[in-house]
Amino acid sequence: MHRVIKFGLVLTLIILTSASIGAAGARGGGTRGLGFGDEDKISRQREELLSLVETVLEENGGTPYTHQLFQHMKIDEAAQGKSTENEINESISSLEKAHMSRQKESVSSLDKLWAEEMAARVEADMAKTEHGLNELRERLSQATHRSRELQEHINGNPDCVIL
């Protein structure tokens, strides 16, 4: 990565210098049109540029950057970016799976709680209904008993006439 930054800096300086020289030559202003100022400054910048080029040559074992080397570096960087992108995508996929799993567990848990609540309500309603039915049975039994008593009283008393 460090080499790429230096190479990019050197390449940028070369491009800027050649573009400035080309623009100055087109205007007919010679080196004064570079916009760098005095000759000492131009000389320092030229030396700095050459120093950076030499540094790049040293780091590459004396071989300057070629188009093939630059393309190879771009491919390596793209591969690293893709592997990082793949790792990110895998992490996202893993998080999505974990989230879906937790969501399914939550839904399952809520379904179970709902079923238990409904069963408890049904049981409570059945108990209430059973209690109501028992009360009605008791009243029916009492009414039947009272009806028999009255019937016996009527049958036992011949003077009572029912119209």
Side-chain angles (χ1 to χ4, degrees):
M1 187 70 169
H2 186 62
R3 281 192 235 162
V4 174
I5 292 172
K6 283 186 178 179
F7 175 70
L9 179 60
V10 170
L11 188 59
T12 303
L13 286 171
I14 291 170
I15 291 170
L16 288 175
T17 304
S18 64
S20 296
I21 291 171
R27 286 193 308 261
T31 57
R32 292 183 192 262
L34 290 176
F36 293 121
D38 60 15
E39 290 295 322
D40 289 336
K41 190 172 184 180
I42 294 171
S43 178
R44 281 194 312 262
Q45 289 174 341
R46 188 176 300 126
E47 291 300 320
E48 184 180 344
L49 177 61
L50 290 174
S51 172
L52 288 171
V53 169
E54 288 175 8
T55 304
V56 169
L57 286 172
E58 287 175 12
E59 288 181 358
N60 289 326
T63 307
Y65 277 100
T66 62
H67 183 67
Q68 287 177 338
L69 182 59
F70 185 68
Q71 291 299 322
H72 181 70
M73 286 174 44
K74 283 175 53 178
I75 290 170
D76 287 346
E77 285 179 7
Q80 287 177 353
K82 284 185 180 178
S83 72
T84 302
E85 185 178 322
N86 288 341
E87 290 171 3
I88 290 171
N89 287 337
E90 288 173 5
S91 295
I92 289 172
S93 177
S94 173
L95 288 173
E96 285 175 344
K97 287 178 184 176
H99 176 71
M100 292 300 288
S101 174
R102 284 190 210 125
Q103 188 177 15
K104 285 179 182 178
E105 289 173 9
S106 296
V107 167
S108 175
S109 175
L110 289 172
D111 282 345
K112 183 179 176 185
L113 287 173
W114 180 78
E116 290 172 359
E117 179 67 25
M118 290 304 293
R121 285 184 182 187
V122 167
E123 189 175 320
D125 286 345
M126 288 178 69
K128 199 184 276 185
T129 303
E130 187 68 31
H131 179 70
L133 285 174
N134 285 338
E135 283 183 1
L136 289 174
R137 286 183 189 128
E138 183 64 31
R139 286 184 185 171
L140 179 63
S141 174
Q142 288 173 357
T144 305
H145 181 67
R146 180 74 176 142
S147 175
R148 282 188 195 144
E149 285 178 352
L150 289 174
Q151 189 66 35
E152 286 175 9
H153 181 63
I154 291 173
N155 290 340
N157 193 354
D159 295 335
C160 184
V161 177
I162 298 180
L163 298 175

